[in-house]
Amino acid sequence: MAANTIELNRSRQDFAGIESIWLFGYGSLIYKVDFPFLEQRPARIEGWARRFWQGSHDHRGTPEAPGRVVTLIEQPGSICKGMAFRVSPTVFEHLDHREKDGYLRFTTTLTFDDGRQEQGLVYIATEDNEAFMGHAPEADIARQIAAAAGPSGRNDEYLRKLAEALRHLGDDDPHVFMIESLLPC
Ligand code: SIN
């Protein structure tokens, strides 16, 4: 799949006649909310696990020294907690640009804390995208993150801010917290 997903995302969903739609954020979209939204609620999606398996060449790394950011990996029985935002479809112009290094918009079922469910969208970088890095031991991921930085800042800042946001949500994500604990002080 092409490294830049802007064009692919443009043709993925038809927003004709849709005033607002839920967007599920599980990574930087939880803590870096640089887009307008109508409503925000903690939510979860089922069957997906958050993993630092996606390379970042444009935000938290460079083409020569990529960083690592999170994507979702299909895993039956897993629950991924995050934040849902009800947004106007016009925000995807900005977000598709922000998420262009391999992420595609997928439709998913969101469950809110009160058990109510809604259909929404989520950005996922699947393993066939050029920036995908995949599994590595958590100590190696921590070392890579500690060394990387890009136009959006240091890669360890992405990890620490995400871990902090997950603590606020009451999430216990062993993968994220393990990598955070392995960062050099
Ligand atoms: C997300 O936060 O939902 C997508 C991944 C990211 O931008 O970190």
Side-chain angles (χ1 to χ4, degrees):
M1 190 208 302
N4 182 330
T5 52
I6 291 179
E7 280 310 318
L8 289 171
N9 272 321
R10 266 196 196 127
S11 53
R12 279 179 79 80
Q13 285 99 20
D14 180 9
F15 295 125
I18 294 182
E19 277 180 17
S20 71
I21 186 159
W22 285 100
L23 169 68
F24 179 76
Y26 57 91
S28 68
L29 289 178
I30 303 178
Y31 66 80
K32 187 181 174 195
V33 187
D34 61 353
F35 53 91
F37 62 88
L38 303 160
E39 198 182 337
Q40 148 180 43
R41 284 168 183 234
R44 62 181 187 270
I45 61 173
E46 286 166 22
W48 295 94
R50 178 173 23 233
R51 291 287 180 266
F52 271 91
W53 288 7
Q54 175 66 4
S56 179
H57 304 80
D58 60 346
H59 280 300
R60 301 289 180 163
T62 60
E64 299 73 38
R68 276 186 182 247
V69 290
V70 288
T71 184
L72 294 178
I73 304 298
E74 225 167 342
Q75 199 172 91
S78 281
I79 288 180
C80 178
K81 286 194 190 169
M83 186 62 81
F85 301 91
R86 192 161 62 81
V87 296
S88 156
T90 55
V91 305
F92 292 114
E93 205 165 311
H94 165 63
L95 290 179
D96 286 354
H97 186 266
R98 174 172 156 179
E99 304 294 324
K100 69 180 185 319
D101 197 14
Y103 292 85
L104 292 174
R105 287 189 244 123
F106 288 87
T107 302
T108 188
T109 303
L110 281 59
T111 306
F112 299 111
D113 286 352
D114 62 5
R116 196 165 65 85
Q117 294 191 316
E118 291 273 1
Q119 289 297 105
L121 297 180
V122 58
Y123 283 98
I124 299 176
T126 54
E127 58 188 67
D128 56 350
N129 86 86
E130 283 178 20
F132 191 80
M133 294 192 150
H135 171 81
E138 279 148 346
D140 291 355
I141 294 180
R143 257 191 299 277
Q144 184 178 350
I145 288 176
S152 297
R154 296 174 54 90
N155 202 177
D156 60 358
E157 181 197 41
Y158 175 106
L159 166 59
R160 289 188 208 276
K161 285 190 170 172
L162 175 59
E164 190 60 27
L166 294 180
R167 278 189 279 272
H168 273 286
L169 283 171
D171 189 19
D172 178 20
D173 186 321
H175 173 76
V176 173
F177 294 147
M178 171 62 81
I179 297 169
E180 184 194 31
S181 75
L182 292 166
L183 282 178
C185 295

